[in-house]
Amino acid sequence: MKYNTINFNNKTILITGGAGFIGSNLAFYFQEEFPQSHVVVFDKFRSEATFSNGNLQSFGHYKNLIGFKGDIICGDLNSEKDLAQLDAYNFDYIFHEAAISDTRVYDQEIIMQTNVNSFYYFLEKAKKDNAVLVYASSAATYGSIPSPQTVGKESPENPYGFSKYAMDQIAYRYMRENPEMTIVGLKYFNVYGAREFFKDKTSSTVIQFGHQILAGKAPRLFEGSDKIVRDFVYIKDVLQANIKACDAKKSGVYNVGTGKPRSFQDIADILQKELGTDYGTEYFPNPFTGYQMHTQADISTSTEFLGYKPKWELEDGIKDYLGEIIRMYNEEVM
């Protein structure tokens, strides 16, 4: 689906984190909708290295790019030598999705180095190339402030959230100093959809619950999950936001959600209905302190300045995603 009138054919497009969840979806979007576009993926790709919490340090996976026909550069955001490989290109559009995105990583140094220090390179590269820059911010910038979450009222409560908050502040300065540039930050809420499986433990509850049910088990939810709600947004709406950001009426930072929070219990119940099962629910105590109980994106400015209007209700998104959930279970879990 073409979300605006931009013709990306014969344009050179950089996608950092292009072997990850959102990045790989963007890569295939351009390949399928604009086959004459020149897409360059920059990604560290996964190794077996883990953080102290046991989670993988990098989620980029080659299987997310099977069938991709563009350029691939394996590189680390923390390496000037790796980033220098991008200087050979003159980009028209830069989608900066790469980051350490695990909210449970508390090593402030590595998060700030990876997420914030590297951001200056892409801002300067966009300025030099006269490229549109769209980058991933995050709803984690809001912390646990009351809903609805509104841009400009952030209160991050973990290093990842703070790193994205810092990126937003840097972006605002570039916007002021370079009014001719198009710079758009997108605060993603809880994204789910195809190509998220290799995020491992940080993948959405949609695929995690789906695979629990496919294994013949009751989905495992925190106690009180009918009252824990999130703004779940389908990957196809995230693609819409990214493409519309390329033609933004105004540079800025915008929320990408639905504005319609739903509970974890809703997800489990929808999945059981679609899969034709009735395993009930297994509840266990929530082990986390400072846990967000309610998120809801205020998307008024996203609609006004990007033309972003979410199309996918949770029921529709899960139904559209179900075949991929089953495929990944059969190919990667069984």
Side-chain angles (χ1 to χ4, degrees):
M1 178 180 292
K2 293 180 171 63
Y3 296 109
N4 54 27
T5 59
I6 296 176
N7 182 1
F8 291 97
N9 283 316
N10 301 310
K11 301 298 184 183
T12 305
I13 300 163
L14 172 64
I15 304 171
T16 72
F21 173 29
I22 295 172
S24 61
N25 277 283
L26 276 167
F28 279 101
Y29 172 83
F30 288 114
Q31 180 168 294
E32 292 163 6
E33 297 290 341
F34 300 95
Q36 300 306 311
S37 61
H38 181 189
V39 181
V40 180
V41 159
F42 181 89
D43 200 291
K44 184 178 180 180
F45 288 87
R46 71 191 289 171
S47 66
E48 296 306 307
T50 60
F51 291 113
S52 59
N53 64 5
N55 290 348
L56 290 168
Q57 290 187 13
S58 180
F59 298 128
H61 201 292
Y62 79 91
K63 288 188 177 180
N64 282 336
L65 290 175
I66 291 176
F68 175 65
K69 301 173 183 177
D71 294 0
I72 297 175
I73 298 174
C74 182
D76 189 330
L77 293 177
N78 293 314
S79 168
E80 291 184 5
K81 180 180 178 182
D82 290 351
L83 291 174
Q85 296 179 82
L86 301 175
D87 293 337
Y89 298 89
N90 189 71
F91 295 109
D92 298 291
Y93 298 90
I94 296 174
F95 296 88
H96 182 37
E97 306 292 333
I100 293 174
S101 58
D102 190 335
T103 60
R104 298 290 168 181
V105 173
Y106 297 107
D107 184 334
Q108 299 179 40
E109 180 182 20
I110 187 62
I111 286 183
M112 294 300 288
Q113 285 178 343
T114 305
N115 295 0
V116 180
N117 286 7
S118 63
F119 190 41
Y120 292 100
Y121 170 84
F122 294 103
L123 287 161
E124 285 298 315
K125 179 64 172 166
K127 183 177 179 179
K128 177 178 177 292
D129 291 2
N130 194 28
V132 170
L133 174 62
V134 181
Y135 73 91
S137 183
S138 174
T141 56
Y142 294 118
S144 56
I145 62 174
S147 297
Q149 285 73 34
T150 303
V151 174
K153 298 180 179 179
E154 295 84 5
S155 183
E157 296 179 356
N158 56 53
Y160 167 68
F162 178 78
S163 74
K164 290 297 181 177
Y165 171 81
M167 289 173 66
D168 291 342
Q169 306 316 304
I170 296 164
Y172 284 134
R173 176 172 66 80
Y174 267 78
M175 293 173 202
R176 291 192 302 269
E177 295 176 354
N178 304 279
E180 75 284 357
M181 293 180 70
T182 297
I183 303 172
V184 176
L186 299 176
K187 291 185 183 290
Y188 301 137
F189 277 66
N190 287 68
V191 187
Y192 66 98
R195 300 188 176 93
E196 68 168 314
F197 174 79
F198 295 107
K199 289 182 67 179
D200 199 40
K201 296 176 184 176
T202 66
S203 61
S204 78
T205 51
V206 177
I207 192 169
Q208 292 191 46
F209 292 164
H211 286 177
Q212 290 169 20
I213 293 166
L214 288 169
K217 301 174 183 177
R220 301 186 74 244
L221 280 70
F222 294 152
E223 293 172 350
S225 282
D226 59 330
K227 297 180 178 62
I228 303 175
V229 300
R230 293 282 187 277
D231 195 327
F232 296 100
V233 57
Y234 191 39
I235 186 62
K236 291 183 179 179
D237 275 331
V238 171
L239 291 176
Q240 176 204 159
N242 274 272
I243 301 308
K244 288 187 172 178
C246 294
D247 192 27
K249 294 179 182 177
K250 180 181 177 181
S251 289
V253 181
Y254 301 98
N255 285 336
V256 179
T258 64
K260 300 177 181 179
R262 301 290 296 272
S263 72
F264 288 137
Q265 189 69 60
D266 286 340
I267 290 175
D269 292 346
I270 293 167
L271 283 163
Q272 295 224 58
K273 178 182 178 182
E274 291 298 327
L275 290 167
T277 61
D278 186 18
Y279 297 136
T281 308
E282 179 185 339
Y283 298 104
F284 65 101
N286 185 343
F288 301 116
T289 57
Y291 194 72
Q292 281 182 318
M293 296 298 291
H294 194 290
T295 66
Q296 179 181 0
D298 177 350
I299 59 173
S300 57
T301 57
S302 312
T303 300
E304 180 180 0
F305 294 110
L306 303 184
Y308 168 73
K309 296 179 182 179
K311 305 293 185 185
W312 294 87
E313 298 285 346
L314 185 62
E315 286 83 355
D316 299 326
I318 290 176
K319 184 177 291 188
D320 189 65
Y321 183 22
L322 197 62
E324 183 68 9
I325 292 174
I326 295 170
R327 184 182 75 83
M328 294 308 294
Y329 180 79
N330 290 335
E331 293 183 5
E332 300 291 341
V333 180
M334 288 283 287

